[in-house]
Amino acid sequence: SGDAWTVGVVVRDKGGAAKESFNLKIMQGIGIGTLYYTSDDAVNHGREWIELSKENSGSGKAIVFNANGENLTEDAKNQVVEDFHGRGAASWWKAKKGYQIKFDKKISLVDGTAKEKKWVLGAQYADPVHISDVIAKRIGALTRTDYSPQATWVNFYYDGEYRGVY
C-alpha cells in the first residue's frame, strides 16, 4: 500500500571494522494513516502468541500517524495499551486477523470521534479493496442514525512487521 525501499546497513566499530550487516526495509504508506503497535514482550506474548487464541492478550505501546506522517492527535503519541487481543468470529480463522486495542485512558484515534478506551482493527478479510465497511459507516453517519460508528483505514505494523490495511 505504498512504496518500499531496501537499504543495506553495515554497523561498524570505532576502528571502522564491520561488526554486523543487515537489510532494512523502509515502507511508506500512501493516502491513509498508520498505527504502530509494539508488544511489551514480543518474544513470549507477541503476534504469534496472540494469534494462537482469542483468549490470549498482551500489552504494549501504540503510536498513530495521519496520512501526512503527523501524529493523528496529541493523544496518539506513544500510548499505553493495557489489553491487546484477537477479535472476530469467522474472520478469526482467516489469515488476516482482527484485533481489539484497549488503551489505559480514553483517546481519539479517528478525526471527529469521541475519546474512547477501546478501538477495533477490523480485518475485512472478505473485502480485498477495503471499502464496503467504511462506506456503510459513512452512509450511516450521513443519515444521522442514533448509533453510527465511524471508520477509517490504517496501515498496521505489529512489532515492526507490516500486517496490511485495516
Side-chain angles (χ1 to χ4, degrees):
S1 82
D3 295 327
W5 300 270
T6 301
V7 179
V9 177
V10 178
V11 179
R12 300 184 182 278
D13 63 18
K14 290 182 181 180
K19 290 174 44 178
E20 176 183 3
S21 66
F22 56 91
N23 287 330
L24 176 66
K25 187 172 186 179
I26 301 170
M27 298 181 72
Q28 175 185 3
I30 297 174
I32 61 174
T34 303
L35 184 143
Y36 297 92
Y37 172 71
T38 304
S39 302
D40 284 337
D41 183 359
V43 173
N44 297 307
H45 293 104
R47 185 181 60 80
E48 289 181 13
W49 184 79
I50 294 291
E51 291 181 354
L52 285 175
S53 168
K54 288 190 289 183
E55 305 304 315
N56 293 347
S57 66
S59 60
K61 296 248 191 290
I63 299 175
V64 183
F65 294 94
N66 67 16
N68 297 324
E70 305 159 331
N71 277 108
L72 186 59
T73 67
E74 191 63 29
D75 291 334
K77 292 182 178 179
N78 215 15
Q79 289 300 311
V80 173
V81 175
E82 289 181 337
D83 180 55
F84 186 93
H85 64 269
R87 180 189 180 280
S91 65
W92 186 250
W93 305 109
K94 303 296 181 185
K96 186 175 183 184
K97 309 288 188 206
Y99 305 100
Q100 179 175 293
I101 302 172
K102 180 181 176 188
F103 293 95
D104 67 331
K105 64 181 178 181
K106 290 184 176 184
I107 62 174
S108 177
L109 293 181
V110 178
D111 288 330
T113 62
K115 292 182 178 185
E116 298 292 339
K117 283 181 102 173
K118 291 182 183 177
W119 292 86
V120 170
L121 291 173
Q124 299 177 0
Y125 72 93
D127 185 5
V129 294
H130 309 289
I131 199 165
S132 57
D133 187 55
V134 173
I135 287 176
K137 287 180 175 131
R138 289 189 181 163
I139 290 171
L142 290 171
T143 60
R144 301 187 194 276
T145 56
D146 289 339
Y147 175 74
S148 294
Q150 292 187 330
T152 191
W153 297 281
V154 294
N155 287 304
F156 178 53
Y157 290 82
Y158 192 144
D159 288 331
E161 180 181 331
Y162 180 67
R163 300 302 297 159
V165 175
Y166 278 76

